[in-house]
Amino acid sequence: MEDFGRLLKISANQMGRRFDQFARQYELTGTQMAIMDYLNQHKDKEILQRDIEHEFNIQRSTATVLLQRMEKRNFIRRKASVDDARQKSVQLTQHAKELEKIIANYMREQQEQLEAEFSASELELLSRLLKNLVRFEN
């Protein structure tokens, strides 16, 4: 029987390397680029650091370091939340907004390439299986 954990790890590593390679030209990591894409997709609502932690399944300390580095490079700004001053709201800067279309296009192209490899029923099954694995881990 296949070692599914190993195959998932290999595929995640490959995808991560592709993201990192593309993001590097903008002085970003793949994860930082994905966070920018997430913020762009949710620009109509206030996004808190804890939302990013939840969305990317990362620890608070990891999110803090990622966001501090992004803030230092002027990709995001953090400020006290409108609803709860103890929470930090995360927003894209004008500098980051200049990359919005480039990042959105890259993310869309990656999605389209992945979808081209599978039939609609395979994609539905893959999505269901991955979601089950994510729930299993939490």
Side-chain angles (χ1 to χ4, degrees):
M1 179 168 251
E2 290 282 349
D3 182 346
F4 296 115
R6 184 179 63 78
L7 290 173
L8 281 169
K9 181 66 175 165
I10 290 168
S11 64
N13 286 345
Q14 285 179 329
M15 182 175 277
R17 276 194 296 275
R18 281 196 313 271
F19 274 44
D20 285 338
Q21 184 178 21
F22 178 83
R24 195 172 298 124
Q25 65 189 307
Y26 302 105
E27 297 182 25
L28 291 164
T29 66
T31 303
Q32 290 169 339
M33 181 178 69
I35 289 171
M36 287 174 58
D37 187 58
Y38 174 74
L39 291 170
N40 182 42
Q41 289 181 28
H42 296 88
K43 57 184 155 197
D44 57 327
K45 70 178 250 192
E46 181 179 52
I47 299 296
L48 305 176
Q49 177 172 328
R50 71 173 180 221
D51 297 322
I52 292 169
E53 294 163 10
H54 182 262
E55 177 68 19
F56 292 92
N57 195 22
I58 55 176
Q59 294 180 341
R60 181 184 300 168
S61 58
T62 302
T64 297
V65 170
L66 272 166
L67 295 174
Q68 284 173 341
R69 290 178 180 163
M70 291 176 75
E71 195 168 30
K72 186 177 179 180
R73 290 197 170 113
N74 194 32
F75 289 114
I76 61 151
R77 86 176 132 267
R78 293 183 293 170
K79 64 179 190 172
S81 168
V82 175
D83 297 326
D84 183 351
R86 297 170 298 171
Q87 298 291 323
K88 293 289 187 188
S89 174
V90 182
Q91 300 170 334
L92 293 173
T93 63
Q94 187 58 43
H95 174 59
K97 289 177 181 179
E98 293 168 8
L99 298 175
E100 275 181 296
K101 284 186 180 177
I102 294 168
I103 290 171
N105 286 339
Y106 176 78
M107 299 300 259
R108 188 188 76 261
E109 288 169 5
Q110 292 303 300
Q111 181 71 19
E112 288 171 358
Q113 285 178 9
L114 185 63
E115 289 175 357
E117 296 293 319
F118 301 98
S119 69
S121 61
E122 288 172 328
L123 286 168
E124 186 179 319
L125 177 61
L126 179 61
S127 177
R128 194 174 80 238
L129 293 171
L130 290 172
K131 286 175 183 175
N132 283 341
L133 286 172
V134 169
R135 278 195 297 271
F136 176 72
E137 291 297 319
N138 287 329

